[in-house]
Amino acid sequence: MGEFIQGLYEAGIGSILFTHPLDGHDYQDRESLGWNDPSNGYGKWNDFVNDMHEELVHKYGKYIMGIGCDSEFGLSNNEEWKDKLDLPRLRQTIHEASGEKRLQLYAIAGPNDTCEFGFKEVWRPSWLDPWKGLADDNYDTDKWTSYKRVVAVAQANHWATIGPASKGKANCNARQVYRYSVLQAAVATEGPGVAWAVSPYSTGEWEANVQEVFVQVEDWTKDVRKSLRRVYPSTSYVTTEGSQIATLSHGIVATKSMDDLEEYIHVLNPPTSIHDEDDNTCDITKNTKVLRLPLPQDGKIFTSARLLRTGEEVILKTADDDNDDKGEIVLELTEDQEWEEHNTIIVLTVDPASIIPSFQKNIALHKPVIYSSSEESIRLFKSNFGSLQLTDGNTGVVKLVSADGRTQGNYGWKSKHRFHPAEYFYPTNLALNKPAYQSSTLSSFDNNNNWDATNVVSGNRRTNSGCTQNTTKNWWQVDLRVIASIKKIVVYNRFDDDDDNSCWKGLNGVVVTILDSDREATWKSSPVAIQQDDNAAKTLIFDDFPSTTLGSYIRITQNSNNNYLCLGEVEVYGPVVKEFDDSNEQSLPNLALMKPTFQSTTLP
């Protein structure tokens, strides 16, 4: 088992260990493990379950992406399992054992107080929604329902090796696996899309055709992997939960890069006919190379289009072009290009100025909801996870049903997810270790301190600070060495060892300015007025910028007279539009800027 998991890890394939924390029938001697001992809140059983998961994580945690849990987690009214599992304790055990990696946790009955993600279990197609709506042998994935949750599909005979390899076979062919994976990548906002489950045999055997199917899928995806891995579902062309490939609007689904700078249009059902308005006929033998899409829902502006697999340019016509219909975007293949058989991916390059700033985003969108009651807990799991509809972006009325299936109402619902600032959307601090300068430098009071400008971009908010001398018109500046769409600037004051922040005056009266590559101001704050007891005396946050704010330099000046400008750390976040070569003179500082000047005489 360990060799199999490590092999997946080394191949760059994520794996999830699936456990049964609440089914005593999995253990031969469950009575001695406390299965039916209610003392101390089934303490003996919880001790065993936590010890087991701790050992699993210590053995395999380095090589897996998460742990999935079966059963209804004691959340239904079934007396056999009710109150037997300490959910918060199990979560804490797994996270402490995994350390900084913080394994992702999934559950059929999720999200809950152990697992932040739910998943849809599909042993046979009849398990898809609507329940029993498909026959057990219907593996036409073009007609399968899509989900916001991760979908776990048994690709062969069973989840486990319950019989010899010769008994099972691959249920889905390569085309079905590939296309449904693409669909889920564009829909799943509460998990990584789809997990294809197969049984590893210690003999090295595979069930019939399983290996061949995945080898073929890998061959189709190797050149277009960036559109399927480490991506988010598109916010420009949203594919809603429940969508099916066979009935897709415009024949496409879409994903986007994590920095929002590229949209990937997956053409699963290419245009195949042209309507002749003159005789009201449809020529089904003539392929059209024109794909018409509505304007993006999130207001993005696209500047170019290309085929991902070959890099060849695709003709892009937008509302700004000489386009017959200003309410749509037109993508047209050239004479030498053809739609691919399984999926044609077109990359749309996004104008950074058109990206919605992070502070305008709905930070609750698609986040897990913790609830006091919901029809999720019904024994047969027939619900569509109604609680998550509260954060799905749909403003329609949501009816909530309690575990008993009768009571309706919103009883104590809350989200446990904290606010995700700009660092979440754009995690790279653009100022880190970049060239920094200041108008003057305070002399060290001892041999252990220096007050150099570069301390402010060292990545440590509590060590040496940057500080000018006690003069007028003090300034500090960092060269980002890029052009970026600035989304957030955080300025930390100098902190003393006793944490009383006696240097609160260091940020009083400061003005923050964003400068472009020509050192022209693109945004400027008002002077900051600070009192000693203000929270702002410790940290200033600037994130209310127009979406078109581009910057290459961040400059902090101090308007107050005869004072020190003391800065602990400055952090800058936002997507990079253009990187400068180190030899590019635009990125070099003007060393004479704001320095003391003298001349022999001055004209009256």
Side-chain angles (χ1 to χ4, degrees):
M1 194 68 180
E3 292 174 359
F4 183 76
I5 292 171
Q6 187 171 354
L8 291 172
Y9 173 80
E10 293 174 352
I13 300 172
S15 59
I16 299 172
L17 275 182
F18 195 62
T19 71
H20 242 304
L22 200 58
D23 275 9
H25 65 72
D26 283 1
Y27 309 100
Q28 292 181 343
D29 192 15
R30 66 180 187 176
E31 295 303 322
S32 66
L33 299 174
W35 173 251
N36 286 320
D37 181 2
S39 61
N40 299 318
Y42 290 92
K44 193 173 183 179
W45 175 256
N46 278 280
D47 288 345
F48 163 68
V49 169
N50 281 267
D51 286 349
M52 179 189 69
H53 280 83
E54 183 178 41
E55 182 178 342
L56 280 174
V57 174
H58 282 157
K59 279 189 174 183
Y60 308 121
K62 176 182 177 180
Y63 305 109
I64 62 176
M65 61 182 290
I67 288 181
C69 297
D70 205 337
S71 86
E72 49 76 78
F73 258 66
L75 298 175
S76 74
N77 287 331
N78 192 308
E79 291 296 330
E80 183 179 6
W81 297 308
K82 190 174 183 181
D83 299 326
K84 283 191 175 180
L85 196 61
D86 187 336
L87 301 183
R89 178 185 172 186
L90 181 56
R91 178 179 180 83
Q92 182 177 354
T93 294
I94 295 172
H95 277 170
E96 287 181 353
S98 60
E100 295 182 358
K101 185 171 183 179
R102 301 279 288 187
L103 291 173
Q104 300 172 12
L105 302 179
Y106 302 81
I108 292 177
N112 55 48
D113 284 343
T114 294
C115 302
E116 61 265 30
F117 296 108
F119 70 85
K120 177 67 177 178
E121 183 180 39
V122 181
W123 177 62
R124 293 292 184 263
S126 61
W127 288 29
L128 291 159
D129 291 324
W131 183 259
K132 299 294 184 181
L134 294 176
D136 279 350
D137 60 353
N138 188 342
Y139 287 95
D140 181 3
T141 57
D142 280 11
K143 297 179 180 178
W144 281 17
T145 302
S146 58
Y147 294 86
K148 295 179 184 178
R149 291 161 280 157
V150 60
V151 179
V153 181
Q155 162 66 333
N157 183 46
H158 199 268
W159 307 104
T161 53
I162 61 174
S166 58
K167 183 179 179 180
K169 66 176 182 179
N171 292 318
C172 294
N173 61 37
R175 173 184 169 87
Q176 292 164 339
V177 169
Y178 175 54
R179 285 167 64 86
Y180 190 69
S181 297
V182 172
L183 174 65
Q184 275 296 113
V187 175
T189 54
E190 295 154 13
V194 59
W196 297 96
V198 295
S199 299
Y201 285 81
S202 59
T203 59
E205 296 175 276
W206 292 96
E207 292 161 290
N209 295 324
V210 166
Q211 185 177 18
E212 291 81 359
V213 164
F214 285 115
V215 168
Q216 180 62 72
V217 172
E218 164 63 15
D219 184 61
W220 287 338
T221 58
K222 63 183 180 182
D223 295 328
V224 296
R225 188 174 285 121
K226 68 180 294 187
S227 70
L228 295 171
R229 297 185 67 177
R230 298 187 64 79
V231 294
Y232 293 135
S234 172
T235 51
S236 297
Y237 299 102
V238 177
T239 307
T240 58
E241 184 174 45
S243 297
Q244 299 176 358
I245 294 176
T247 57
L248 286 174
S249 177
H250 308 288
I252 65 108
V253 298
T255 55
K256 67 176 183 178
S257 62
M258 295 179 70
D259 60 8
D260 249 3
L261 294 177
E262 288 187 336
E263 291 279 334
Y264 306 108
I265 305 299
H266 300 264
V267 187
L268 295 173
N269 302 326
T272 56
S273 61
I274 299 177
H275 188 70
D276 188 339
E277 295 184 354
D278 294 334
D279 59 8
N280 200 31
T281 62
C282 192
D283 180 5
I284 61 174
T285 64
K286 185 176 181 180
N287 278 350
T288 178
K289 297 191 175 185
V290 176
L291 175 65
R292 297 181 181 274
L293 299 176
L295 297 178
Q297 297 179 30
D298 54 8
K300 287 178 181 171
I301 297 174
F302 304 123
T303 58
S304 64
R306 70 183 190 277
L307 293 175
L308 178 56
R309 193 177 299 278
T310 65
E312 298 172 343
E313 183 180 357
V314 172
I315 299 170
L316 169 66
K317 297 180 182 180
T318 67
D320 295 328
D321 301 325
D322 185 16
N323 191 359
D324 293 337
D325 190 343
K326 301 298 184 181
E328 65 180 15
I329 288 176
V330 177
L331 297 168
E332 184 176 351
L333 300 184
T334 64
E335 183 178 350
D336 298 331
Q337 296 167 344
E338 299 290 344
W339 300 112
E340 297 180 37
E341 181 181 359
H342 307 298
N343 178 24
T344 305
I345 302 115
I346 299 176
V347 185
L348 298 177
T349 304
V350 179
D351 180 352
S354 68
I355 299 174
I356 298 176
S358 60
F359 64 85
Q360 293 181 2
K361 294 182 179 180
N362 173 14
I363 60 175
L365 187 64
H366 303 314
K367 296 299 188 297
V369 177
I370 307 301
Y371 47 84
S372 62
S373 61
S374 172
E375 64 178 340
E376 277 91 307
S377 301
I378 294 177
R379 176 73 180 95
L380 296 180
F381 300 105
K382 292 183 179 179
S383 101
N384 282 325
F385 280 71
S387 64
L388 292 173
Q389 294 177 21
L390 292 177
T391 58
D392 68 355
N394 190 328
T395 57
V397 177
V398 179
K399 292 184 179 180
L400 313 182
V401 184
S402 67
D404 60 15
R406 295 189 297 271
T407 310
Q408 293 187 6
N410 185 350
Y411 302 115
W413 290 53
K414 62 181 180 180
S415 172
K416 284 194 173 182
H417 275 252
R418 64 180 178 84
F419 172 76
H420 293 295
E423 297 97 303
Y424 176 80
F425 300 103
Y426 310 104
T428 302
N429 173 14
L430 301 178
L432 184 64
N433 295 323
K434 296 298 175 61
Y437 314 90
Q438 57 193 18
S439 54
S440 62
T441 301
L442 181 66
S443 300
S444 296
F445 297 122
D446 54 60
N447 293 328
N448 297 321
N449 251 341
N450 74 77
W451 306 96
D452 193 81
T454 57
N455 291 334
V456 184
V457 290
S458 66
N460 195 322
R461 302 166 183 170
R462 301 188 65 86
T463 56
N464 290 351
S465 305
C467 194
T468 67
Q469 297 180 15
N470 187 358
T471 58
T472 60
K473 297 183 179 179
N474 296 317
W475 59 266
W476 176 92
Q477 182 170 301
V478 61
D479 177 358
L480 302 179
R481 296 292 178 107
V482 297
I483 299 176
S485 178
I486 306 299
K487 302 301 181 184
K488 186 172 184 177
I489 301 172
V490 185
V491 181
Y492 295 91
N493 200 353
R494 167 194 165 193
F495 282 81
D496 285 351
D497 292 339
D498 58 6
D499 221 18
D500 67 355
N501 196 26
S502 59
C503 294
W504 64 273
K505 290 183 180 180
L507 294 183
N508 190 38
V510 300
V511 174
V512 176
T513 305
I514 300 174
L515 306 171
D516 62 17
S517 58
D518 294 322
R519 297 184 179 84
E520 297 292 334
T522 58
W523 182 87
K524 189 174 185 178
S525 75
S526 300
V528 177
I530 296 177
Q531 302 299 321
Q532 186 168 4
D533 57 350
D534 283 353
N535 288 331
K538 296 183 178 181
T539 306
L540 302 178
I541 298 177
F542 303 89
D543 58 6
D544 191 8
F545 309 123
S547 61
T548 56
T549 304
L550 299 179
S552 296
Y553 303 87
I554 305 300
R555 185 177 180 83
I556 299 176
T557 55
Q558 191 177 55
N559 287 346
S560 57
N561 294 325
N562 296 322
N563 201 357
Y564 301 96
L565 174 59
C566 290
L567 302 172
E569 190 76 15
V570 172
E571 298 173 357
V572 182
Y573 298 94
V576 173
V577 178
K578 179 181 179 182
E579 295 187 5
F580 288 136
D581 186 278
D582 285 342
S583 62
N584 189 328
E585 66 175 20
Q586 290 192 38
S587 69
L588 299 177
N590 174 10
L591 298 179
L593 186 65
M594 301 297 291
K595 295 297 174 64
T597 58
F598 312 91
Q599 58 190 21
S600 58
T601 60
T602 301
L603 183 68

